[in-house]
Amino acid sequence: MNNEALIATLTDIVGTKYCITGDKKSERFRKGFRSGEGQALCVVKPGTLLEQWKILQACVAADKIVIFQAANTGLTEGSTPKSSYSRDVVVINTMRMDAIHCLQGGNQVLSFPGATLFALERLLRPLKRLPHSVIGSSSIGASILGGVCNNSGGALCERGPAYTELALYAQVGEDGKLRLVNHLGIELGDTPEEILMRLEAGDYDKDSAAPAGKKASDTDYDAILRDVESPLPSRYNNDDRLLHEVSGCAGKLAVFAIRLDTYPQNEEERTYYIGTNNPDDITELRRRILTEFETLPVSAEYVHRECFDIAAEYGKDTLVMIDKLGTDRLPAVFVLKGAVDARLNKFSLTRGFTDKFMQFAMRLWPQHLPKFMRDYRDRFEHHLILKMHDGGIAEAEKLLPELFEGRDDADFMACTPREAKIAGLHRFAAAGAAVRYGHVHADQVEDILALDIALPRNDLNWREQLPKEITDKLVAKVYYGHMMCHVFHHDYIVKKGVDVKALKAEMLKLLDQRGIEYPAEHNVGHLYVAKEDLATHYKDCDPTNSFNPGIGRMSREKYYA
């Protein structure tokens, strides 16, 4: 089948509107959220699971590369093409297939490929249940399935990385044939067409129990997190404990649906804002909570002062939009922004217009951070947003005064619900603030070097100290992360003219010397080398290298030649 015939076939399946050709129209699907861009024959947006199956059949028959993409919020270039390939690429964007089905009265859910975490939160709210992940360090509109495929998540201390052993997926076997594999633990029929149509229609037993011994979440994470003497990180992408079929597959399987656990709502929550000039205070707090508390925190988010400042100025619009519009409307806003950027970025005079316009508009907006946060910023270098629930509140009320009360170089306070919301959103806005800084100051910034790293659980010196020969190459360092699991995000704003590739090699060498694993939760994408366990998992999932080739710096050729 030649390219014209393939495009005609794909158009017949989804309609002209949803088979996108041409560089201009497809740019926002071919360009990564932070970086990365490549060519594609077309972008296809199936509206049903059966349409996705037919698209895959056509692409495999035509010997094309397939790259799967949901909201395109990946931070390591793993959901877009990268440069060129020896075979043509078809991008399948799954966002139209966004259904979520409740199972067992909401104790579990079944998610289609394009369903988002926001939608899951909204669905579970009336049932007084919670999802496996919430907005943390990633991006607006992130998909449920994308988190599982990348072992993401973990901002929530009691839940760990997104993980399941229950999924429906298609795989191209070593013989080159496409097969549908039903490991959902739900009887749906025998043929792919019957399975997919019944699943789409909800024609199955929604109370069916999961097969014995099969997990729909990482049930071992609590014990792993509490082991503060372990020389290993609590979670990272190369951890073979969490590499199972769809979980950690990074697009090397064609996923149609996944089954996940949900969690009961907490009866009571309280957020504490902690500031200190001594990082050892946070080390002691972390270790005592993990070893002494009966109830783990909901979350414990770290922000360094320099990150606070960058987020306050360059993440202000993100905070304000989430606060005022709510999470339901925000994905549509960012889709619109992406479409406008795709048109305006073609011309030098209008490149980066939306970022610069939003940055200017926010100067006219009133101060968005409460006074106590600005005071803490002036007084303290290190900030921790600690959210406790139920029995953990009393435990925190006992420990925090013991550690911080009556000191000039440290302090804490209990937040009102409104203060807690703004503090959390400020932390979330930090994830995109460095990127915005780079867009606004493109004449001064070469690029953003973003690393997400997993420190050993027994590491007492988590605060990075870079040599002068590296800091001289940086405009700023944006440090934030998840304190209890020792997973940190380091966004380095690199000075104009610096060789970013060489600088990254220097950075990774320092991480290797400290026994730090990377990446921690956003997968290797095209930015990191897949280590042995991860590379083996990719090859097991996709022996012909038909799906998302080249990730992990692996071969782009068929059969990994």
Side-chain angles (χ1 to χ4, degrees), residues 90-124:
V90 173
V91 175
I92 297 180
N93 182 283
T94 63
M95 292 303 287
R96 293 178 64 211
M97 301 176 291
D98 59 356
I100 307 172
H101 297 175
C102 284
L103 307 178
Q104 300 174 351
N107 289 336
Q108 289 188 332
V109 291
L110 187 145
S111 170
F112 286 12
T116 66
L117 285 170
F118 291 157
L120 180 56
E121 283 187 83
R122 187 170 62 246
L123 176 70
L124 294 176

Side-chain angles (χ1 to χ4, degrees), residues 360-435:
F360 172 78
M362 283 298 103
R363 293 178 185 173
L364 306 177
W365 194 270
Q367 175 58 247
H368 62 300
L369 298 178
K371 185 177 183 302
F372 89 87
M373 286 181 64
R374 289 177 278 132
D375 290 343
Y376 268 55
R377 180 264 167 224
D378 293 338
R379 294 168 60 197
F380 307 118
E381 181 181 359
H382 306 285
H383 299 229
L384 188 70
I385 307 164
L386 177 67
K387 181 184 286 190
M388 302 301 303
H389 75 92
D390 302 321
I393 296 173
E395 293 178 297
E397 296 278 0
K398 181 180 178 182
L399 179 60
L400 291 176
E402 178 186 331
L403 294 179
F404 300 113
E405 205 165 69
R407 292 175 51 184
D408 294 329
D409 63 339
D411 204 351
F412 79 97
M413 63 168 283
C415 299
T416 66
R418 174 66 181 168
E419 290 169 340
K421 178 184 179 182
I422 297 301
L425 289 179
H426 183 60
R427 156 64 187 86
F428 174 73
V435 176

Side-chain angles (χ1 to χ4, degrees), residues 203-309:
D203 179 20
Y204 60 88
D205 180 9
K206 295 184 179 59
D207 292 319
S208 61
K214 293 294 183 180
K215 296 181 178 182
S217 62
D218 181 10
T219 56
D220 300 324
Y221 187 68
D222 183 298
I224 288 169
L225 189 66
R226 288 182 181 274
D227 184 4
V228 297
E229 301 303 335
S230 172
L232 298 175
S234 57
R235 59 186 179 93
Y236 54 100
N237 283 129
N238 196 50
D239 185 356
D240 63 352
R241 185 181 70 86
L242 297 174
L243 300 176
H244 180 87
E245 295 179 351
V246 164
S247 295
C249 76
K252 301 297 281 180
L253 294 170
V255 189
F256 288 81
I258 56 173
R259 185 171 177 174
L260 291 170
D261 290 332
T262 69
Y263 303 82
Q265 245 178 36
N266 298 322
E267 293 293 328
E268 184 182 4
E269 293 183 350
R270 187 169 301 166
T271 297
Y272 302 90
Y273 201 97
I274 299 161
T276 181
N277 290 315
N278 185 353
D280 292 343
D281 288 334
I282 296 180
T283 300
E284 182 179 359
L285 176 66
R286 169 183 174 265
R287 291 172 68 86
R288 291 191 62 177
I289 286 176
L290 292 179
T291 58
E292 297 175 9
F293 281 23
E294 289 188 16
T295 304
L296 286 174
V298 176
S299 59
E301 296 297 287
Y302 170 75
V303 177
H304 183 259
R305 177 187 277 155
E306 193 169 9
C307 172
F308 185 107
D309 292 344

Side-chain angles (χ1 to χ4, degrees), residues 321-366:
M321 282 193 294
I322 297 177
D323 184 37
K324 301 303 179 186
L325 297 179
T327 54
D328 294 346
R329 299 179 188 175
L330 218 54
V333 173
F334 278 79
V335 168
L336 177 61
K337 180 184 182 298
V340 173
D341 283 342
R343 288 166 173 79
L344 297 182
N345 287 349
K346 292 291 185 183
F347 310 101
S348 58
L349 288 176
T350 54
R351 189 173 295 122
F353 171 79
T354 58
D355 284 300
K356 292 173 183 176
F357 173 79
M358 292 168 78
Q359 195 62 32
F360 172 78
M362 283 298 103
R363 293 178 185 173
L364 306 177
W365 194 270

Side-chain angles (χ1 to χ4, degrees), residues 124-137:
L124 294 176
R125 200 171 293 135
L127 304 177
K128 295 188 176 181
R129 304 288 296 181
L130 297 169
H132 65 281
S133 300
V134 295
I135 59 171
S137 64

